Amino acid sequence: MAMEKMWAGRFQKALDKKADDFNSSLRFDCRMYAQDIKGSMAHAAMLAKQGILPQSEVDLIIDGLEGILRDIDAGKLAFDGDAEDIHMFIEAELTKRIGDAGKRLHTARSRNDQVAVDIRLYLRDEAETVVSLIAELVKAVTDKAEESADIIAPGYTHLQRAQPISFGHQLAAYAMMLLRDISRIKDAVKRMNYSPLGSCALAGTTYPTDRAFAAQKLGFDGIVQNSIDGVSDRDFCVELMSAFAVLMMHLSRFSEEIVLWSSWEFKFIELDDSYTTGSSIMPQKKNPDMAELVRGKTGRVYGNLMALLTTLKGLPLAYNKDMQEDKEAIFDSLDTVKMCLEVFAPMIATMKVNGENTYRAAQKGFINATDLADYLAKKGMPFRAAYKIVGQIVAACIEKDRVLDNFPLEEYKKYSELFEEDLYDEISLETCVNKRTSAGGASPSSVKTQVAYVKEELKKI
Ligand code: ARG
């Protein structure tokens, strides 16, 4: 037998079964039970403090709520499929346990402000978990960058070999991006951390409530100043989901490089067996599935953001049931981001960088051509003129099947008298990389500075 609805008094007929299932959010909003209960406790305490409910009844309510929380935590209380949502479920259970006092809890409150509080509390906690997971990844990437500081590799533009770099420099680039992801999430939490509780259905209440008191009990930085805004907006969800989308974009680019680097064509890295899979038919295969999945899952995190933006677009103020759709989208993004980070950090920590292969790759592709032009420019030739000459030398080398490092000096001299024996030293891969000591440059010493910077930033988190 289905439970009688709270609003049954107003209706002649029960809700159709399929409509009831369609309407219910319990199966996914039940994960906010702890936040719902804590929000109710703060609300009840406020009602007692303001003399809206007698202390004795509020004591009963708080005891009852504590019992429910304990029982759910211990797996002794299952979520009843008949309740419309977690808010109704907890209230009905409370009333079942303590009787009439349970029916008073909803004084000066509505599910509209209740749900808005619950999501903020839930996301505030979860955002912190995501931040610490990103911090672990940043640590893994930074350690790997430090370890690879002296490894010479080609740096690319257009996926064409461009200039030689320390391999650690490329890894450190991702650490910087991820640090910004942390800061974006923290910013979103700052704006999220205001309490809508006491906004009630949309218009506040005639009871003498103390919203600031409840807000403070729940660890909010203050209250949402407009009751309609308090129950209507989900911009804080959008912000967090945008931050997640940017994070996934970074992880996806990193994944793409992991996939490329572990291919036979590159072989710059080897992923650990525990983060790769084999093929069901090709015995030689070792596939970078984790990186591919992260790249693939980026799509759903973008999609969830778009879904919520679209749901909110065009909604009149204040609460509309459409807004119940916020939860599955944001929960899915949250779960996805957490799962991705949990495999990404150890995948990076355990990967091996093959310095011989990165070095060999850097030897090809005239990667030191800019440095040869710089050589002439440093001897007084305008850079544009030097650039043109080096272009001609590269063309000659290609024709003669040579590289800049073994093109004879007498040939060089045909292009400019400025060329001397020291050019070979100046364009060696070691010199090219080691001398890129400009701030934020690709030299091993710069990588070490960057690593130190990231480590300091991590301490502030
Ligand atoms: N389950 C609802 C949601 O998630 C709770 C708020 C319901 N409010 C209402 N007026 N029907 O949005």
Short mmCIF file of all heavy atoms in Angstrom, two decimals, residues 55-77:
data_model
loop_
_atom_site.label_atom_id
_atom_site.label_comp_id
_atom_site.label_asym_id
_atom_site.label_seq_id
_atom_site.Cartn_x
_atom_site.Cartn_y
_atom_site.Cartn_z
N GLN A 55 11.25 24.29 23.78
CA GLN A 55 12.53 23.57 23.82
C GLN A 55 12.32 22.06 23.96
O GLN A 55 13.03 21.27 23.35
CB GLN A 55 13.38 24.12 25.00
CG GLN A 55 14.81 23.57 25.05
CD GLN A 55 15.67 24.02 23.85
OE1 GLN A 55 15.75 25.21 23.55
NE2 GLN A 55 16.28 23.06 23.16
N SER A 56 11.31 21.68 24.77
CA SER A 56 11.10 20.25 25.01
C SER A 56 10.79 19.52 23.70
O SER A 56 11.29 18.42 23.46
CB SER A 56 9.95 20.05 26.01
OG SER A 56 8.80 20.72 25.52
N GLU A 57 10.01 20.14 22.84
CA GLU A 57 9.67 19.50 21.56
C GLU A 57 10.88 19.47 20.63
O GLU A 57 11.13 18.50 19.92
CB GLU A 57 8.50 20.21 20.90
CG GLU A 57 7.20 19.90 21.62
CD GLU A 57 5.97 20.10 20.74
OE1 GLU A 57 5.84 21.19 20.17
OE2 GLU A 57 5.18 19.15 20.62
N VAL A 58 11.64 20.55 20.67
CA VAL A 58 12.83 20.61 19.81
C VAL A 58 13.85 19.55 20.26
O VAL A 58 14.51 18.91 19.44
CB VAL A 58 13.43 22.03 19.80
CG1 VAL A 58 14.82 22.05 19.18
CG2 VAL A 58 12.50 22.98 19.04
N ASP A 59 13.93 19.34 21.60
CA ASP A 59 14.83 18.28 22.09
C ASP A 59 14.42 16.92 21.52
O ASP A 59 15.26 16.13 21.08
CB ASP A 59 14.82 18.22 23.63
CG ASP A 59 15.52 19.44 24.23
OD1 ASP A 59 16.24 20.13 23.49
OD2 ASP A 59 15.32 19.70 25.44
N LEU A 60 13.13 16.69 21.52
CA LEU A 60 12.60 15.43 20.95
C LEU A 60 12.96 15.32 19.47
O LEU A 60 13.40 14.27 18.98
CB LEU A 60 11.08 15.42 21.06
CG LEU A 60 10.42 14.79 22.28
CD1 LEU A 60 8.90 14.93 22.16
CD2 LEU A 60 10.79 13.30 22.36
N ILE A 61 12.76 16.43 18.75
CA ILE A 61 13.04 16.46 17.30
C ILE A 61 14.52 16.14 17.05
O ILE A 61 14.87 15.29 16.22
CB ILE A 61 12.68 17.84 16.69
CG1 ILE A 61 11.15 18.04 16.70
CG2 ILE A 61 13.24 18.00 15.28
CD1 ILE A 61 10.68 19.42 16.26
N ILE A 62 15.38 16.82 17.82
CA ILE A 62 16.82 16.63 17.58
C ILE A 62 17.26 15.21 17.93
O ILE A 62 18.00 14.58 17.17
CB ILE A 62 17.64 17.73 18.30
CG1 ILE A 62 17.34 19.06 17.59
CG2 ILE A 62 19.14 17.42 18.29
CD1 ILE A 62 18.04 20.28 18.09
N ASP A 63 16.74 14.70 19.03
CA ASP A 63 17.04 13.30 19.39
C ASP A 63 16.58 12.35 18.29
O ASP A 63 17.31 11.43 17.89
CB ASP A 63 16.26 12.91 20.66
CG ASP A 63 17.08 13.22 21.90
OD1 ASP A 63 18.16 13.80 21.75
OD2 ASP A 63 16.59 12.88 23.02
N GLY A 64 15.38 12.59 17.82
CA GLY A 64 14.81 11.74 16.76
C GLY A 64 15.65 11.79 15.51
O GLY A 64 15.95 10.76 14.90
N LEU A 65 16.07 13.01 15.13
CA LEU A 65 16.88 13.16 13.92
C LEU A 65 18.23 12.47 14.08
O LEU A 65 18.73 11.83 13.15
CB LEU A 65 17.07 14.64 13.58
CG LEU A 65 15.82 15.37 13.05
CD1 LEU A 65 16.07 16.88 12.99
CD2 LEU A 65 15.42 14.86 11.66
N GLU A 66 18.79 12.60 15.28
CA GLU A 66 20.08 11.93 15.53
C GLU A 66 19.95 10.42 15.37
O GLU A 66 20.82 9.76 14.80
CB GLU A 66 20.60 12.26 16.94
CG GLU A 66 21.44 13.52 16.94
CD GLU A 66 21.75 14.07 18.33
OE1 GLU A 66 21.31 13.45 19.33
OE2 GLU A 66 22.40 15.12 18.39
N GLY A 67 18.84 9.89 15.88
CA GLY A 67 18.59 8.44 15.76
C GLY A 67 18.46 8.02 14.30
O GLY A 67 19.01 6.99 13.89
N ILE A 68 17.76 8.83 13.53
CA ILE A 68 17.58 8.50 12.10
C ILE A 68 18.95 8.51 11.40
O ILE A 68 19.28 7.60 10.64
CB ILE A 68 16.60 9.49 11.43
CG1 ILE A 68 15.20 9.34 12.04
CG2 ILE A 68 16.56 9.30 9.92
CD1 ILE A 68 14.18 10.35 11.56
N LEU A 69 19.74 9.54 11.70
CA LEU A 69 21.07 9.64 11.09
C LEU A 69 21.92 8.41 11.43
O LEU A 69 22.55 7.81 10.55
CB LEU A 69 21.77 10.93 11.57
CG LEU A 69 23.15 11.23 10.99
CD1 LEU A 69 23.10 11.34 9.47
CD2 LEU A 69 23.72 12.53 11.57
N ARG A 70 21.89 8.05 12.71
CA ARG A 70 22.66 6.88 13.15
C ARG A 70 22.20 5.62 12.41
O ARG A 70 23.01 4.84 11.92
CB ARG A 70 22.46 6.67 14.66
CG ARG A 70 23.63 7.11 15.50
CD ARG A 70 23.57 6.52 16.92
NE ARG A 70 22.26 6.54 17.53
CZ ARG A 70 21.74 7.57 18.22
NH1 ARG A 70 22.44 8.68 18.37
NH2 ARG A 70 20.52 7.51 18.75
N ASP A 71 20.88 5.46 12.31
CA ASP A 71 20.34 4.25 11.69
C ASP A 71 20.65 4.18 10.20
O ASP A 71 20.92 3.11 9.66
CB ASP A 71 18.83 4.14 11.94
CG ASP A 71 18.55 3.82 13.41
OD1 ASP A 71 19.52 3.54 14.15
OD2 ASP A 71 17.37 3.85 13.82
N ILE A 72 20.57 5.33 9.55
CA ILE A 72 20.89 5.30 8.10
C ILE A 72 22.38 5.00 7.93
O ILE A 72 22.77 4.14 7.12
CB ILE A 72 20.52 6.63 7.39
CG1 ILE A 72 19.02 6.90 7.49
CG2 ILE A 72 20.94 6.58 5.91
CD1 ILE A 72 18.56 8.23 6.89
N ASP A 73 23.21 5.68 8.71
CA ASP A 73 24.66 5.44 8.63
C ASP A 73 25.00 3.96 8.84
O ASP A 73 25.88 3.41 8.18
CB ASP A 73 25.40 6.25 9.71
CG ASP A 73 25.61 7.71 9.28
OD1 ASP A 73 25.49 8.00 8.08
OD2 ASP A 73 25.90 8.56 10.16
N ALA A 74 24.27 3.34 9.79
CA ALA A 74 24.56 1.95 10.13
C ALA A 74 23.88 0.96 9.18
O ALA A 74 23.99 -0.25 9.35
CB ALA A 74 24.12 1.67 11.56
N GLY A 75 23.16 1.48 8.21
CA GLY A 75 22.47 0.61 7.25
C GLY A 75 21.23 -0.04 7.84
O GLY A 75 20.71 -1.02 7.29
N LYS A 76 20.72 0.50 8.98
CA LYS A 76 19.55 -0.10 9.61
C LYS A 76 18.24 0.49 9.10
O LYS A 76 17.17 -0.02 9.40
CB LYS A 76 19.63 0.12 11.13
CG LYS A 76 20.66 -0.74 11.82
CD LYS A 76 20.44 -0.68 13.33
CE LYS A 76 21.73 -0.88 14.07
NZ LYS A 76 21.81 -0.12 15.32
N LEU A 77 18.34 1.61 8.43
CA LEU A 77 17.12 2.24 7.90
C LEU A 77 17.27 2.42 6.40
O LEU A 77 18.17 3.14 5.94
CB LEU A 77 16.90 3.60 8.60
CG LEU A 77 15.74 4.45 8.09
CD1 LEU A 77 14.39 3.73 8.28
CD2 LEU A 77 15.70 5.80 8.83
#
